[in-house]
Amino acid sequence: MLRVYNSMTRTKEQFIPTRPGEVSVYSCGPTVYDEPHIGNWRSFVIFDVFRRYLKHKGFKVTFVQNITDIDDKIIKRANETGVHPTTLADKFTAIYLEQARLLGNEPADVHPRATEHVGNIIELIQCLIDKGFAYAAGGDVYFDTSRFQTYGALSGQPIEELEAGARVEIGEMKKSPLDFALWKAKKPGEIYWDSPWGPGRPGWHIECSAMSMKYLGDTIDIHTGGVDLKFPHHENERAQSEAATGKPFVKYWLHVGFLQIGGERMGKSLGNFLTLSQLMKKYDPMAIRFYLISAHYRSPLNYSEELLQSSAAGLKRLQNTVSMLSHAVAAASPGQDAAWEALLREFKSRFYEAMDDDFNTADAIAVLFDIARAANTHSGEMKREMAQETLSLLEELGEVLGLRFLDGKAAAEDAALVEGLLRILLDLREEARKVKDWKTADHIRDALSSLGITIEDTPLGPRYRR
RNA sequence: GGCGACGUAGCCAAGUGGUAAGGCAGAGGACUGCAAAUCCUUUAUUCCCCGGUUCAAAUCCGGGCGUCGCCUCCA
């Protein structure tokens, strides 16, 4: 029984999708004006874990993540660098998708782009105007927040408080500071689309409303984003969607906490950010993923080099166990163990209990380490089927979190060749060891070591790992 | 000013009424030809502080201190 923390009600609730067995998820994706930093990646990885777990629970999940490919920042960056906004957006969209893949995120079922849905957006804006929730002013169109009764409910803010903090840009023609742009009139030299209100482009918030409606319908089960999106972005989305359809927009709002560095939020504007490309020079993307899910998603997560190293070491420990088990599957004698199977079932249910509790990845990871410890303890008497079942369980649970414990880099063919060659060397070394020819034995080991291959002498015979 | 999150060992981090998970780092031991990996033991009588409720609190209530965030583009 999955329970999730709903930001709207500020309580953990039992998760019951609108349609039994099916879950619709909308995740706010990147604005593609630059490479995401690892704070952004924290959210994107967590969204992927949500989705993976829902799938493993047996739900048919439809996962939509937008790509914001037109907005102020893109226009600004395009002007600065002298490239067309579309070229810039395409470049960083490709980088986003590639890095997501490296981190082990599955592609969304749909990655809709704002510029490909301008027609849907215009329709939605027109609908809001027709219903009296929006008004055109000087080529812009604004949402009239005073017409939407429960504005502020998601952020838990009284209207007066929000008003006090609101700001009006010069040149804006809002009736109230809280009103926000649905359509922005074209400025000289800017990219534009034609609309009933003149040439211009969509505001940021409206694209999510239009695209979630198109792909997931009027009411979606889960909407995710970073906590910073709660206000104003999600508040505004909610107002637009519910004003247009008269139906609830989202059943469960899930918000991911910040990645902090040096005691403050990692952010582009603060200049204290690190990108995935920077970290990948030193760390495996899997280690980075492991680090990003090492704390509960709603807690702040600290970044430091030391923490990343700590995560990398922890993942290595799990990988060593998987390596040991693979070896046992190949080399150990056949055999089952009822007590061991019972233990595995217990681990499995503990893992799922942790994930059922609002996706408690930190607790779930602890179970992985418990499995590793138990398997390592019994590595001496590990029988083939025991090893196989343990391996399968670790792979299954790793799959839920998007973690791979085996190095997937080497192609299958290469792997077979390397395996054969190493077998020969290991055999030679064993012969040398039998006659206590340590010089030869150590030479082989050292030479392989310099190629990054470690030999280990185990009760089941020698094995190697990279 | 309004709203919210957080404060658990050297570092990170679970745990929301029943007597402190897990990881990293450190120390000691075992295993080993030497290693590597692994295992065992060890590191918080105590969970920011002070009161209160309770047979029982890290967990609930009140007060205080500290850190971070949102209220403006932002995962």
Side-chain angles (χ1 to χ4, degrees):
Chain A
M1 186 57 66
L2 176 61
R3 287 161 56 79
V4 301
Y5 183 88
N6 187 351
S7 301
M8 186 75 184
T9 58
R10 291 178 197 77
T11 52
K12 259 188 218 175
E13 298 175 17
Q14 192 173 320
F15 178 73
I16 304 167
T18 310
R19 285 158 297 169
E22 291 179 35
V23 183
S24 52
V25 185
Y26 187 93
S27 282
C28 284
T31 299
V32 285
Y33 71 107
D34 198 357
E35 203 183 322
H37 57 68
I38 54 166
N40 302 128
W41 282 119
R42 181 188 190 196
S43 288
F44 300 146
V45 165
I46 292 290
F47 302 161
D48 183 63
V49 170
F50 290 165
R51 176 209 199 172
R52 283 168 179 272
Y53 188 60
L54 289 165
K55 274 188 174 175
H56 277 261
K57 294 284 284 181
F59 291 111
K60 183 181 179 299
V61 181
T62 308
F63 182 83
V64 175
Q65 181 177 48
N66 67 301
I67 305 273
T68 299
D69 60 353
I70 181 64
D71 90 323
D72 293 350
K73 288 195 294 283
I74 291 173
I75 290 172
K76 182 162 177 275
R77 183 64 60 92
N79 286 340
E80 285 166 4
T81 53
V83 299
H84 190 87
T86 306
T87 313
L88 183 83
D90 285 351
K91 176 184 166 188
F92 286 108
T93 299
I95 289 175
Y96 171 74
L97 294 173
E98 170 60 9
Q99 294 191 341
R101 190 185 66 77
L102 289 170
L103 278 172
N105 284 358
E106 292 175 353
D109 295 302
V110 191
H111 274 298
R113 301 177 195 204
T115 57
E116 290 170 3
H117 296 81
V118 176
N120 301 286
I121 292 169
I122 289 174
E123 272 175 43
L124 181 57
I125 295 175
Q126 190 59 57
C127 167
L128 288 170
I129 292 176
D130 293 344
K131 292 193 174 183
F133 285 104
Y135 56 93
D140 295 334
V141 180
Y142 295 99
F143 186 89
D144 188 344
T145 49
S146 68
R147 293 273 288 110
F148 188 70
Q149 288 297 321
T150 61
Y151 192 76
L154 177 60
S155 39
Q157 292 275 39
I159 296 290
E160 313 79 62
E161 284 300 330
L162 290 172
E163 265 174 354
R167 190 175 67 178
V168 182
E169 298 280 343
I170 297 165
E172 288 187 321
M173 310 178 71
K174 297 176 181 179
K175 286 200 268 190
S176 150
L178 277 184
D179 294 352
F180 53 92
L182 301 174
W183 187 261
K184 295 185 171 191
K186 161 186 182 294
K187 296 196 184 80
E190 275 186 5
I191 185 172
Y192 68 93
W193 287 259
D194 287 318
S195 82
W197 319 285
R201 60 189 166 87
W204 175 39
H205 314 297
I206 195 73
E207 70 172 84
C208 288
S209 287
M211 297 193 291
S212 72
M213 208 176 285
K214 170 167 178 182
Y215 293 102
L216 297 171
D218 293 345
T219 299
I220 58 185
D221 291 310
I222 295 178
H223 193 123
T224 69
V227 283
D228 50 338
L229 297 187
K230 210 191 278 187
F231 187 91
H233 186 54
H234 289 163
E235 191 76 69
N236 292 351
E237 276 184 50
R238 197 181 140 263
Q240 294 159 346
S241 294
E242 298 195 355
T245 67
K247 295 177 201 160
F249 175 44
V250 169
K251 199 160 180 198
Y252 305 95
W253 290 95
L254 272 48
H255 288 105
V256 181
F258 283 126
L259 187 73
Q260 297 188 356
I261 180 167
E264 53 182 4
R265 159 188 187 174
M266 181 175 286
K268 278 274 160 59
S269 51
L270 292 166
N272 59 356
F273 62 91
L274 290 158
T275 63
L276 188 65
S277 336
Q278 286 172 312
L279 293 191
M280 280 195 308
K281 285 175 186 158
K282 234 177 141 177
Y283 298 96
D284 185 273
M286 270 299 115
I288 297 167
R289 183 181 184 96
F290 191 64
Y291 156 71
L292 290 174
I293 63 174
S294 65
H296 184 91
Y297 76 90
R298 279 189 286 118
S299 305
L301 176 66
N302 303 304
Y303 173 81
S304 75
E305 180 92 18
E306 191 195 352
L307 290 176
L308 206 47
Q309 265 165 14
S310 165
S311 285
L315 182 63
K316 188 85 181 166
R317 178 175 164 80
L318 296 176
Q319 286 169 335
N320 280 335
T321 298
V322 166
S323 167
M324 177 277 287
L325 289 168
S326 306
H327 184 232
V329 168
S333 55
Q336 295 275 10
D337 187 298
W340 182 253
E341 287 178 345
L343 191 60
L344 289 184
R345 278 194 297 275
E346 196 178 304
F347 283 136
K348 182 171 175 169
S349 83
R350 271 181 55 206
F351 181 94
Y352 282 100
E353 271 170 39
M355 291 300 286
D356 269 346
D357 184 14
D358 197 26
F359 306 100
N360 194 335
T361 52
D363 214 6
I365 286 170
V367 177
L368 297 182
F369 283 110
D370 285 340
I371 295 172
R373 147 112 20 81
N376 290 334
T377 302
H378 293 89
S379 61
E381 65 261 27
M382 191 61 74
K383 299 283 187 260
R384 189 183 300 157
E385 282 71 25
M386 283 171 72
Q388 184 55 61
E389 282 163 19
T390 313
L391 201 53
S392 301
L393 180 61
L394 278 174
E395 279 167 2
E396 178 193 328
L397 303 185
E399 173 66 23
V400 171
L401 299 174
L403 297 173
R404 286 186 302 267
F405 300 121
L406 287 174
D407 193 342
K409 272 185 285 185
E413 281 177 314
D414 278 5
L417 177 64
V418 168
E419 170 75 29
L421 293 171
L422 281 167
R423 208 65 253 165
I424 296 168
L425 287 166
L426 259 50
D427 286 345
L428 286 172
R429 180 167 168 275
E430 281 312 284
E431 282 173 30
R433 290 178 82 226
K434 268 180 203 152
V435 298
K436 298 201 187 298
D437 179 5
W438 307 126
K439 191 173 169 232
T440 305
D442 286 354
H443 175 71
I444 291 173
R445 186 172 62 187
D446 293 346
L448 288 175
S449 173
S450 69
L451 293 172
I453 290 169
T454 308
I455 291 182
E456 294 185 2
D457 296 322
T458 78
L460 291 170
R463 70 183 176 95
Y464 68 89
R465 67 191 169 79
R466 297 180 189 222

